[in-house]
Amino acid sequence: MPNKSLLQVRNLQVSFKTYLGRVKAVRDVSFEVDRGETVAIVGESGCGKTVTAQAIMRLIPSPPGFIHGGEILFEDNDLLKKSRSEMKRIRGKEMGMIFQDPMTSLNPTMRIGKQIAEGLRKHRRLSKFEAKERAIEMLDLVRIADPAKRYEQYPHEFSGGMRQRAMIAIALACDPKLLIADEPTTALDVTIQAQILELMKSIQAKTQTSIILITHDLGIVASTCDRVIVMYGGKIVETGTVDQIFSSPIHPYTQGLLRSVPRLDMDRSKRLVPIYGTPPNLLNPPEGCAFCARCDRAMVICKSNHPPLLPSQDKHKIACWLNHKESHEQKTAAESTRTYQTV
Protein backbone atom coordinates (compact mmCIF):
# COMPACT_ATOMS: atom_id res chain seq x y z
CA MET A 1 0.00 0.00 0.00
CA PRO A 2 1.50 3.40 -0.97
CA ASN A 3 2.36 5.87 1.77
CA LYS A 4 -0.23 8.49 2.56
CA SER A 5 0.86 11.90 1.31
CA LEU A 6 2.67 14.02 3.87
CA LEU A 7 2.08 17.22 1.89
CA GLN A 8 -0.72 18.15 -0.49
CA VAL A 9 -0.63 21.45 -2.39
CA ARG A 10 -3.97 22.19 -4.05
CA ASN A 11 -4.62 24.99 -6.56
CA LEU A 12 -2.01 27.28 -4.98
CA GLN A 13 -2.00 30.88 -6.22
CA VAL A 14 0.59 33.46 -5.18
CA SER A 15 0.98 37.02 -6.46
CA PHE A 16 3.10 40.09 -5.77
CA LYS A 17 1.90 43.69 -5.89
CA THR A 18 4.27 46.00 -7.75
CA TYR A 19 4.02 49.57 -9.04
CA LEU A 20 3.46 48.10 -12.52
CA GLY A 21 0.65 45.81 -11.40
CA ARG A 22 0.16 42.35 -9.94
CA VAL A 23 2.74 39.68 -10.79
CA LYS A 24 1.02 36.27 -10.85
CA ALA A 25 4.04 34.21 -9.74
CA VAL A 26 2.29 30.89 -8.97
CA ARG A 27 -0.88 30.06 -10.88
CA ASP A 28 -3.04 27.14 -9.77
CA VAL A 29 -0.27 24.71 -8.75
CA SER A 30 -1.18 21.27 -7.32
CA PHE A 31 1.07 18.37 -6.28
CA GLU A 32 1.71 15.89 -3.47
CA VAL A 33 4.76 14.64 -1.59
CA ASP A 34 4.71 11.21 0.06
CA ARG A 35 6.52 10.27 3.26
CA GLY A 36 10.19 9.49 2.63
CA GLU A 37 9.96 10.69 -0.98
CA THR A 38 12.25 13.12 -2.80
CA VAL A 39 10.51 15.40 -5.30
CA ALA A 40 12.35 17.84 -7.54
CA ILE A 41 10.77 21.06 -8.81
CA VAL A 42 12.68 22.22 -11.88
CA GLY A 43 12.44 24.99 -14.43
CA GLU A 44 13.99 28.27 -15.58
CA SER A 45 14.56 31.19 -13.25
CA GLY A 46 11.29 33.00 -12.57
CA CYS A 47 9.05 29.99 -13.20
CA GLY A 48 7.71 29.94 -9.61
CA LYS A 49 9.87 27.26 -7.94
CA THR A 50 11.16 29.27 -4.99
CA VAL A 51 7.88 31.13 -4.48
CA THR A 52 6.09 27.76 -4.23
CA ALA A 53 8.60 26.63 -1.59
CA GLN A 54 8.27 29.87 0.37
CA ALA A 55 4.47 29.58 0.25
CA ILE A 56 4.64 26.08 1.75
CA MET A 57 6.75 27.45 4.61
CA ARG A 58 4.52 30.57 4.85
CA LEU A 59 7.55 32.77 4.21
CA ILE A 60 6.09 34.91 1.43
CA PRO A 61 7.06 38.53 2.30
CA SER A 62 3.83 40.44 2.82
CA PRO A 63 3.69 43.07 1.47
CA PRO A 64 4.23 42.83 -1.45
CA GLY A 65 3.42 39.10 -1.73
CA PHE A 66 0.20 37.33 -0.83
CA ILE A 67 -1.37 33.89 -1.19
CA HIS A 68 -4.84 34.38 -2.66
CA GLY A 69 -6.01 30.87 -3.42
CA GLY A 70 -5.61 27.17 -2.74
CA GLU A 71 -4.72 24.90 0.16
CA ILE A 72 -1.44 23.61 1.63
CA LEU A 73 -2.25 20.47 3.61
CA PHE A 74 0.55 19.21 5.86
CA GLU A 75 -0.55 16.00 7.57
CA ASP A 76 -4.14 17.00 6.66
CA ASN A 77 -3.82 20.40 8.37
CA ASP A 78 -4.17 23.48 6.14
CA LEU A 79 -1.11 25.64 6.77
CA LEU A 80 -2.86 28.65 5.24
CA LYS A 81 -5.28 28.64 8.17
CA LYS A 82 -2.52 28.61 10.80
CA SER A 83 -1.67 31.72 12.78
CA ARG A 84 1.83 33.20 12.75
CA SER A 85 2.61 31.73 16.17
CA GLU A 86 1.41 28.28 15.07
CA MET A 87 3.60 28.46 11.94
CA LYS A 88 6.62 29.40 14.06
CA ARG A 89 6.12 26.17 16.01
CA ILE A 90 5.81 24.14 12.80
CA ARG A 91 8.83 25.69 11.05
CA GLY A 92 12.02 24.13 12.31
CA LYS A 93 10.24 21.38 14.22
CA GLU A 94 8.02 19.77 11.56
CA MET A 95 9.41 21.45 8.43
CA GLY A 96 12.93 22.66 7.65
CA MET A 97 14.36 24.70 4.80
CA ILE A 98 17.82 25.02 3.29
CA PHE A 99 17.99 28.47 1.73
CA GLN A 100 19.65 29.35 -1.55
CA ASP A 101 22.52 31.46 -0.20
CA PRO A 102 23.92 30.22 3.13
CA MET A 103 26.09 33.32 3.62
CA THR A 104 23.06 35.60 3.75
CA SER A 105 20.92 33.05 5.61
CA LEU A 106 23.37 32.49 8.47
CA ASN A 107 23.75 35.19 11.14
CA PRO A 108 27.30 36.56 10.68
CA THR A 109 27.46 37.78 14.30
CA MET A 110 26.48 34.47 15.87
CA ARG A 111 28.57 31.31 16.30
CA ILE A 112 27.57 28.41 14.06
CA GLY A 113 26.93 26.09 17.00
CA LYS A 114 24.57 28.51 18.69
CA GLN A 115 22.59 28.93 15.48
CA ILE A 116 22.01 25.17 15.45
CA ALA A 117 21.30 25.02 19.19
CA GLU A 118 18.80 27.90 19.02
CA GLY A 119 16.12 25.80 17.31
CA LEU A 120 16.77 22.84 19.61
CA ARG A 121 16.21 24.93 22.74
CA LYS A 122 13.08 26.52 21.28
CA HIS A 123 11.36 23.46 19.80
CA ARG A 124 12.73 20.57 21.88
CA ARG A 125 13.09 22.47 25.17
CA LEU A 126 16.64 21.14 25.63
CA SER A 127 18.99 22.56 28.23
CA LYS A 128 21.96 24.64 27.09
CA PHE A 129 24.31 21.69 27.57
CA GLU A 130 21.99 19.21 25.80
CA ALA A 131 21.49 21.59 22.87
CA LYS A 132 25.26 22.01 22.51
CA GLU A 133 25.79 18.24 22.50
CA ARG A 134 23.10 17.79 19.87
CA ALA A 135 24.51 20.64 17.75
CA ILE A 136 27.97 19.06 17.77
CA GLU A 137 26.36 15.75 16.87
CA MET A 138 24.62 17.43 13.89
CA LEU A 139 27.87 19.01 12.69
CA ASP A 140 29.42 15.56 12.79
CA LEU A 141 26.42 14.11 10.93
CA VAL A 142 26.89 16.57 8.06
CA ARG A 143 30.56 15.55 7.93
CA ILE A 144 32.23 18.68 9.22
CA ALA A 145 35.62 17.74 10.65
CA ASP A 146 36.40 18.59 14.28
CA PRO A 147 32.77 19.53 15.09
CA ALA A 148 33.49 20.64 18.68
CA LYS A 149 35.94 23.26 17.39
CA ARG A 150 33.67 24.31 14.53
CA TYR A 151 30.80 24.81 16.99
CA GLU A 152 32.61 27.90 18.33
CA GLN A 153 33.39 29.44 14.93
CA TYR A 154 31.55 32.10 12.92
CA PRO A 155 30.15 31.74 9.36
CA HIS A 156 33.01 33.72 7.79
CA GLU A 157 35.42 31.05 9.06
CA PHE A 158 33.61 28.37 7.04
CA SER A 159 34.06 27.66 3.32
CA GLY A 160 31.04 27.79 1.01
CA GLY A 161 30.54 24.04 1.17
CA MET A 162 30.86 24.03 4.96
CA ARG A 163 28.30 26.83 5.29
CA GLN A 164 25.89 24.82 3.19
CA ARG A 165 26.45 21.80 5.45
CA ALA A 166 25.84 24.01 8.48
CA MET A 167 22.53 25.10 6.93
CA ILE A 168 21.59 21.43 6.49
CA ALA A 169 22.49 20.80 10.14
CA ILE A 170 20.22 23.67 11.25
CA ALA A 171 17.36 22.46 9.04
CA LEU A 172 17.61 18.85 10.26
CA ALA A 173 18.43 19.46 13.93
CA CYS A 174 14.86 18.86 15.14
CA ASP A 175 14.24 15.86 12.83
CA PRO A 176 11.62 17.55 10.59
CA LYS A 177 9.25 15.44 8.54
CA LEU A 178 9.72 17.66 5.48
CA LEU A 179 12.90 19.32 4.21
CA ILE A 180 12.77 21.93 1.44
CA ALA A 181 16.15 22.48 -0.24
CA ASP A 182 16.17 25.62 -2.39
CA GLU A 183 19.11 25.42 -4.82
CA PRO A 184 21.32 23.74 -2.16
CA THR A 185 24.28 23.42 -4.55
CA THR A 186 24.28 26.93 -6.05
CA ALA A 187 27.78 28.48 -6.37
CA LEU A 188 29.47 25.25 -5.25
CA ASP A 189 31.99 23.39 -7.38
CA VAL A 190 31.01 20.04 -8.89
CA THR A 191 32.82 17.94 -6.26
CA ILE A 192 31.15 19.74 -3.35
CA GLN A 193 27.78 19.56 -5.15
CA ALA A 194 28.05 15.78 -5.32
CA GLN A 195 29.02 15.60 -1.64
CA ILE A 196 26.07 17.77 -0.54
CA LEU A 197 23.56 15.72 -2.57
CA GLU A 198 25.02 12.43 -1.33
CA LEU A 199 24.85 13.77 2.22
CA MET A 200 21.16 14.64 1.84
CA LYS A 201 20.42 11.16 0.47
CA SER A 202 22.24 9.40 3.31
CA ILE A 203 20.48 11.51 5.96
CA GLN A 204 17.12 10.83 4.34
CA ALA A 205 17.81 7.08 4.41
CA LYS A 206 18.37 7.32 8.16
CA THR A 207 15.51 9.67 9.05
CA GLN A 208 12.88 9.00 6.31
CA THR A 209 12.53 12.75 5.85
CA SER A 210 10.59 13.85 2.76
CA ILE A 211 12.56 16.25 0.55
CA ILE A 212 11.49 18.89 -1.96
CA LEU A 213 14.51 19.83 -4.07
CA ILE A 214 14.18 23.18 -5.85
CA THR A 215 16.59 23.49 -8.78
CA HIS A 216 17.00 24.69 -12.35
CA ASP A 217 19.68 22.05 -12.98
CA LEU A 218 18.24 18.80 -14.35
CA GLY A 219 21.69 17.25 -14.15
CA ILE A 220 21.55 16.88 -10.34
CA VAL A 221 18.04 15.42 -10.31
CA ALA A 222 18.52 12.03 -12.00
CA SER A 223 20.41 10.26 -9.21
CA THR A 224 18.75 12.08 -6.31
CA CYS A 225 14.98 12.23 -6.79
CA ASP A 226 11.99 9.92 -7.11
CA ARG A 227 9.69 12.30 -8.99
CA VAL A 228 10.08 15.49 -10.98
CA ILE A 229 7.74 18.48 -11.30
CA VAL A 230 8.50 20.76 -14.27
CA MET A 231 7.26 24.35 -13.90
CA TYR A 232 6.97 27.07 -16.50
CA GLY A 233 5.31 30.47 -16.28
CA GLY A 234 4.01 29.84 -12.75
CA LYS A 235 2.32 26.55 -13.69
CA ILE A 236 3.15 22.84 -13.69
CA VAL A 237 3.58 21.66 -17.28
CA GLU A 238 4.73 18.08 -16.65
CA THR A 239 5.23 15.73 -13.73
CA GLY A 240 6.33 12.13 -13.48
CA THR A 241 8.95 9.74 -12.18
CA VAL A 242 12.61 10.46 -12.92
CA ASP A 243 12.63 7.67 -15.55
CA GLN A 244 9.52 9.06 -17.26
CA ILE A 245 10.83 12.62 -17.39
CA PHE A 246 14.34 11.73 -18.56
CA SER A 247 13.49 8.81 -20.87
CA SER A 248 10.17 9.86 -22.38
CA PRO A 249 9.44 13.58 -21.82
CA ILE A 250 6.28 14.70 -23.61
CA HIS A 251 5.87 18.43 -23.04
CA PRO A 252 7.88 20.49 -25.58
CA TYR A 253 9.33 22.58 -22.74
CA THR A 254 10.63 19.51 -20.89
CA GLN A 255 12.08 18.19 -24.13
CA GLY A 256 13.74 21.56 -24.69
CA LEU A 257 15.27 21.55 -21.21
CA LEU A 258 16.78 18.11 -21.77
CA ARG A 259 18.13 19.08 -25.20
CA SER A 260 19.87 22.10 -23.69
CA VAL A 261 21.64 20.18 -20.89
CA PRO A 262 24.77 18.05 -21.53
CA ARG A 263 24.27 14.36 -20.72
CA LEU A 264 26.70 11.45 -20.52
CA ASP A 265 24.54 9.31 -22.82
CA MET A 266 24.19 11.91 -25.58
CA ASP A 267 25.88 11.73 -28.99
CA ARG A 268 29.01 13.87 -28.74
CA SER A 269 28.66 14.92 -32.36
CA LYS A 270 25.36 16.66 -31.58
CA ARG A 271 25.34 20.22 -30.31
CA LEU A 272 23.21 21.45 -27.42
CA VAL A 273 20.02 23.15 -28.56
CA PRO A 274 18.88 26.22 -26.61
CA ILE A 275 15.25 27.15 -26.02
CA TYR A 276 14.84 30.32 -28.06
CA GLY A 277 12.75 33.21 -26.85
CA THR A 278 12.02 34.49 -23.34
CA PRO A 279 9.65 33.42 -20.54
CA PRO A 280 6.20 35.08 -20.42
CA ASN A 281 5.55 38.33 -18.59
CA LEU A 282 3.61 37.27 -15.48
CA LEU A 283 2.28 40.79 -15.04
CA ASN A 284 0.03 39.87 -17.93
CA PRO A 285 0.26 36.09 -18.41
CA PRO A 286 -1.02 34.63 -21.70
CA GLU A 287 -4.57 33.27 -21.85
CA GLY A 288 -3.41 29.97 -23.33
CA CYS A 289 -0.31 27.87 -22.83
CA ALA A 290 2.52 29.97 -21.37
CA PHE A 291 5.05 28.18 -23.60
CA CYS A 292 3.08 28.79 -26.81
CA ALA A 293 5.26 31.66 -28.10
CA ARG A 294 8.43 29.54 -27.84
CA CYS A 295 6.98 26.22 -29.01
CA ASP A 296 7.64 25.01 -32.57
CA ARG A 297 4.57 22.74 -32.42
CA ALA A 298 2.04 25.27 -31.14
CA MET A 299 -1.52 25.08 -32.48
CA VAL A 300 -4.45 27.48 -32.63
CA ILE A 301 -5.93 26.17 -29.37
CA CYS A 302 -2.63 26.71 -27.53
CA LYS A 303 -2.89 30.47 -27.91
CA SER A 304 -6.33 30.87 -26.37
CA ASN A 305 -6.78 27.94 -23.96
CA HIS A 306 -4.43 26.62 -21.30
CA PRO A 307 -4.34 22.80 -21.34
CA PRO A 308 -5.28 20.94 -18.15
CA LEU A 309 -2.73 18.73 -16.42
CA LEU A 310 -3.92 15.25 -17.44
CA PRO A 311 -2.34 11.78 -17.10
CA SER A 312 -0.56 10.11 -20.01
CA GLN A 313 0.31 6.99 -18.01
CA ASP A 314 0.84 6.00 -14.38
CA LYS A 315 2.13 9.03 -12.40
CA HIS A 316 3.00 10.85 -15.64
CA LYS A 317 0.93 14.00 -16.24
CA ILE A 318 1.31 16.61 -18.96
CA ALA A 319 -0.33 19.99 -19.55
CA CYS A 320 -0.11 20.08 -23.35
CA TRP A 321 -2.75 19.98 -26.07
CA LEU A 322 -0.51 17.56 -28.00
CA ASN A 323 -1.36 15.04 -25.29
CA HIS A 324 -5.09 15.24 -26.13
CA LYS A 325 -6.81 13.22 -28.80
CA GLU A 326 -8.46 16.40 -30.06
CA SER A 327 -5.02 17.85 -30.82
CA HIS A 328 -4.76 16.04 -34.15
CA GLU A 329 -8.01 17.66 -35.26
CA GLN A 330 -6.75 21.04 -34.05
CA LYS A 331 -3.45 20.55 -35.86
CA THR A 332 -5.20 19.59 -39.11
CA ALA A 333 -7.49 22.61 -38.86
CA ALA A 334 -4.56 24.89 -38.12
CA GLU A 335 -2.57 23.62 -41.09
CA SER A 336 -5.54 23.91 -43.43
CA THR A 337 -6.00 27.57 -42.53
CA ARG A 338 -2.24 28.26 -42.49
CA THR A 339 -2.33 29.30 -38.83
CA TYR A 340 -0.08 26.53 -37.55
CA GLN A 341 2.52 28.42 -35.57
CA THR A 342 6.25 27.86 -35.83
CA VAL A 343 8.94 29.63 -33.86
Side-chain angles (χ1 to χ4, degrees), residues 59 68 70-71 79 88 92 94 103 151 171 176 180 182 247 269 289:
L59 291 174
H68 56 94
E71 296 177 314
L79 298 182
K88 284 182 180 180
E94 303 290 336
M103 196 58 206
Y151 177 94
I180 300 176
D182 186 7
S247 301
S269 64
C289 175

Side-chain angles (χ1 to χ4, degrees), residues 2-289:
N3 291 333
K4 185 178 180 181
S5 296
L6 174 70
L7 176 74
Q8 295 174 302
V9 177
R10 297 176 179 171
N11 309 114
L12 180 65
Q13 298 182 60
V14 185
S15 294
F16 292 86
K17 293 180 179 178
T18 72
Y19 69 95
L20 290 174
R22 195 172 84 174
V23 177
K24 302 173 182 67
V26 175
R27 304 185 293 145
D28 198 26
V29 164
S30 299
F31 64 91
E32 298 181 356
V33 180
D34 290 338
R35 297 177 189 275
E37 183 182 34
T38 302
V39 176
I41 303 180
V42 303
E44 293 173 303
S45 296
C47 71
K49 307 184 301 296
T50 295
V51 174
T52 299
Q54 291 176 340
I56 293 170
M57 295 290 290
R58 289 277 305 276
L59 291 174
I60 297 293
S62 179
F66 60 102
I67 300 170
H68 56 94
E71 296 177 314
I72 302 173
L73 302 179
F74 182 73
E75 294 191 316
D76 294 327
N77 295 307
D78 190 353
L79 298 182
L80 299 183
K81 295 180 179 178
K82 299 290 184 183
S83 65
R84 288 187 178 183
S85 59
E86 288 175 318
M87 281 306 303
K88 284 182 180 180
R89 288 193 290 270
I90 292 172
R91 285 195 294 264
K93 183 179 181 182
E94 303 290 336
M95 305 164 64
M97 187 165 182
I98 304 171
F99 294 94
Q100 196 168 132
D101 185 356
M103 196 58 206
T104 57
S105 301
L106 293 169
N107 186 336
T109 67
M110 193 173 178
R111 298 180 194 274
I112 289 288
K114 289 189 176 181
Q115 294 189 55
I116 302 172
E118 186 178 38
L120 291 165
R121 298 201 68 185
K122 178 180 178 181
H123 296 296
R124 284 196 169 188
R125 306 293 183 185
L126 299 185
S127 66
K128 189 175 181 180
F129 175 79
E130 291 171 331
K132 180 177 180 178
E133 290 296 304
R134 173 63 175 168
I136 292 173
E137 181 185 322
M138 289 304 302
L139 287 171
D140 184 55
L141 180 66
V142 297
R143 301 173 189 169
I144 290 181
D146 200 357
K149 177 183 176 182
R150 296 296 185 180
Y151 177 94
E152 301 293 342
Q153 293 183 330
Y154 291 91
H156 73 270
E157 298 178 88
F158 277 41
S159 67
M162 290 170 65
R163 286 195 290 266
Q164 196 64 281
R165 291 168 190 265
M167 283 294 302
I168 295 174
I170 292 171
L172 293 175
C174 295
D175 297 322
K177 296 171 184 176
L178 175 66
L179 174 66
I180 300 176
D182 186 7
E183 302 279 7
T185 57
T186 297
L188 301 178
D189 62 61
V190 177
T191 303
I192 301 300
Q193 281 186 20
Q195 291 175 359
I196 294 295
L197 294 171
E198 182 58 37
L199 173 63
M200 289 173 59
K201 284 179 63 178
S202 65
I203 291 174
Q204 183 187 41
K206 295 175 184 176
T207 62
Q208 284 300 298
T209 299
S210 299
I211 297 176
I212 297 177
L213 176 63
I214 310 292
T215 182
H216 65 274
D217 187 352
L218 279 171
I220 69 173
V221 171
S223 61
T224 309
C225 302
D226 302 305
R227 284 193 298 117
V228 184
I229 295 168
V230 183
M231 289 189 68
Y232 183 81
K235 284 180 172 285
I236 294 175
V237 296
E238 185 165 1
T239 178
T241 65
V242 168
D243 287 341
Q244 289 168 339
I245 296 298
F246 278 81
S247 301
S248 53
I250 295 177
H251 197 283
Y253 176 64
T254 310
Q255 294 173 351
L257 281 180
L258 291 170
R259 284 196 301 266
S260 64
V261 175
R263 297 171 61 178
L264 292 174
D265 59 350
M266 71 185 298
D267 186 345
R268 292 186 180 181
S269 64
K270 293 184 178 180
R271 302 182 68 178
L272 297 178
V273 181
I275 302 175
Y276 295 101
T278 57
N281 182 357
L282 295 183
L283 275 167
N284 186 26
E287 293 181 6
C289 175

